[in-house]
Amino acid sequence: MEITLPSLSAGMEDAVIARWLKAEGDLVAVGEALAEIETDKATMELEAEVAGRVGKILVPQGARANVNDVIVVLLSEGEDAADIAAPENTAPAGLNPAPQPAPVAQQQAPVSAPVSRRDKPVASPLARRLAAQTDVDLAGLAGSGPHGRIVRVDVERAAKRPAAPAAGPVVAAKTGAAPNLAGLGDYETIPHSSMRRTIARRLVESKTTVPHFYLEADCDLDALLALRAQINAGRDAAAKISVNDFLIKAVAHALAKVPEANAIWTDEAVLRLNSIDISVAVSTEGGLITPVLRQADRKSLGALSAEMKALAGRARDGRLKPEEYQGGGFSLSNLGMFGVKNFAAIINPPQSCILAVGAAERRPVGRGDQIVLASMMSVTLSVDHRSVDGAVGAAWLAAFKAAVEAPMTLLV
């Protein structure tokens, strides 16, 4: 029984076998965990859907496999591991143990000696299906995946290229020039994780395809800080309400006031979301991840605070479930705790808005005829102009500022 790597989240193409929980020869029951799988967002357990005995592990621990690749073979009663034929799609990609040197006699063999390799191109199952649908010849492609494997993006690029001339050799063009490393001195090479590669791809996609525009505002936090101190008086440290909790509630409040900002752009239509689901940026060792607070407008400040603490903890442990980080209609990114005064965040596709929050600082402000010191916080709203117009963005930011400066409205 061949066990393939399933798609554990939307858009997942490959993953790392972080740890095998069963060894060859071990018995496995239905529902028992076989391995820990590290995707681009989290580490999840792969459960056995059938019972059997582990006959052969085809993708070693620490190696990468594509979705639908066979990663392990289970044996039924009476079957022997010696009868297992390695499936042709199981050549592990990336992060494999370093190959051992060949014997001297083999190293000295003529260079014209045949090499034992498959004749057909190495490609992911998804790339093969897409190539068949778009009439792309895989034999002429240079793969950008691990170990030269052809992946989805290679096929999509090839499908968009104009047809090559009938005569003359076909030369594969490079998609990007290699960086000039001359004069850098010593450096450490840090391989890209699944999460880092996904972050890079999505950021490039966002900045090159989404027409960003930016709106800025300064919010007076004096009333919010005073209310927070009153709420936290006598509360346990683990249950204290943070400024960020107030800001999440204010984002939800503003989206309820200006629902036009709770939108997603598609080529066919703008999707106006009925549920207020807020993605909150959390920094982890592997990179940035945005767990989602569902129906944030319907939850109390205390409930949002407790849920956010739990989500952030699971995010840093790499234990978020797909449903806890997928979706969301609006993002919040707060760098104020690092002393950043203001910044402009990159929109998280397919969302239309992200709010970047800076640090609170005491500044002189005018109140009536007097200049006084107040705790001021700068925020910047990044907006996708395709789905949210400037006037809508300005109305949303005004509603957010009003909620922050009159925080009692967030408690009713």
Side-chain angles (χ1 to χ4, degrees), residues 2-64:
E2 296 180 346
I3 307 300
T4 61
L5 178 66
S7 178
L8 299 172
S9 62
M12 172 179 155
E13 293 186 357
D14 59 14
V16 172
I17 310 300
R19 186 163 67 103
W20 282 106
L21 303 176
K22 294 290 184 180
E24 292 181 359
D26 288 352
L27 292 175
V28 181
V30 174
E32 198 170 4
L34 277 169
E36 290 182 351
I37 307 296
E38 179 189 332
T39 71
D40 57 343
K41 297 291 187 181
T43 300
M44 292 173 275
E45 289 186 346
L46 173 65
E47 296 181 352
E49 296 183 356
V50 293
R53 182 164 51 88
V54 179
K56 190 171 184 61
I57 291 175
L58 298 170
V59 179
Q61 186 165 293
R64 184 176 301 279

Side-chain angles (χ1 to χ4, degrees), residues 37-292:
I37 307 296
E38 179 189 332
T39 71
D40 57 343
K41 297 291 187 181
T43 300
M44 292 173 275
E45 289 186 346
L46 173 65
E47 296 181 352
E49 296 183 356
V50 293
R53 182 164 51 88
V54 179
K56 190 171 184 61
I57 291 175
L58 298 170
V59 179
Q61 186 165 293
R64 184 176 301 279
N66 289 307
V67 170
N68 295 328
D69 277 358
V70 181
I71 58 175
V72 63
V73 178
L74 298 185
L75 300 173
S76 297
E77 187 176 353
E79 293 181 327
D80 193 289
D83 298 328
I84 297 174
E88 64 177 28
N89 70 340
T90 56
L95 296 181
N96 291 330
Q100 298 298 316
V104 174
Q106 184 178 340
Q107 293 177 11
Q108 294 175 347
V111 293
S112 59
V115 180
S116 176
R117 298 181 68 177
R118 295 195 297 269
D119 291 334
K120 65 179 183 179
V122 180
S124 70
L126 178 60
R128 291 189 181 280
R129 288 197 300 273
L130 187 58
Q133 294 168 3
T134 56
D135 251 354
V136 170
D137 183 8
L138 293 177
L141 293 187
S144 62
H147 288 203
R149 181 180 290 242
I150 298 169
V151 293
R152 173 184 56 82
V153 68
D154 301 317
V155 179
E156 289 177 343
R157 287 173 183 157
K160 293 177 182 177
R161 290 190 203 124
V170 177
V171 180
K174 292 184 177 180
T175 57
N180 182 3
L181 303 180
L184 287 183
D186 294 338
Y187 58 86
E188 179 185 0
T189 300
I190 303 173
H192 298 316
S193 65
S194 297
M195 180 182 288
R196 181 57 59 188
R197 288 203 320 273
T198 299
I199 290 171
R201 174 177 57 80
R202 288 176 61 82
L203 290 179
V204 170
E205 173 191 347
S206 180
K207 286 297 285 185
T208 55
T209 65
V210 177
H212 289 59
F213 74 92
Y214 307 95
L215 301 172
E216 299 179 356
D218 289 330
C219 302
D220 188 334
L221 289 186
D222 279 350
L224 187 151
L225 294 176
L227 179 59
R228 174 177 176 260
Q230 184 179 352
I231 291 174
N232 284 338
R235 293 173 73 97
D236 294 336
K240 288 187 182 296
I241 305 297
S242 70
V243 170
N244 203 57
D245 297 331
F246 272 99
L247 300 183
I248 293 169
K249 187 64 177 175
V251 167
H253 181 88
L255 286 172
K257 292 282 188 182
V258 188
E260 297 87 353
N262 194 20
I264 285 176
W265 169 268
T266 72
D267 290 337
E268 293 76 28
V270 172
L271 309 183
R272 184 77 53 78
L273 305 180
N274 294 323
S275 179
I276 296 179
D277 302 332
I278 302 174
S279 304
V280 182
V282 174
S283 179
T284 71
E285 289 185 1
L288 198 67
I289 191 168
T290 52
V292 181

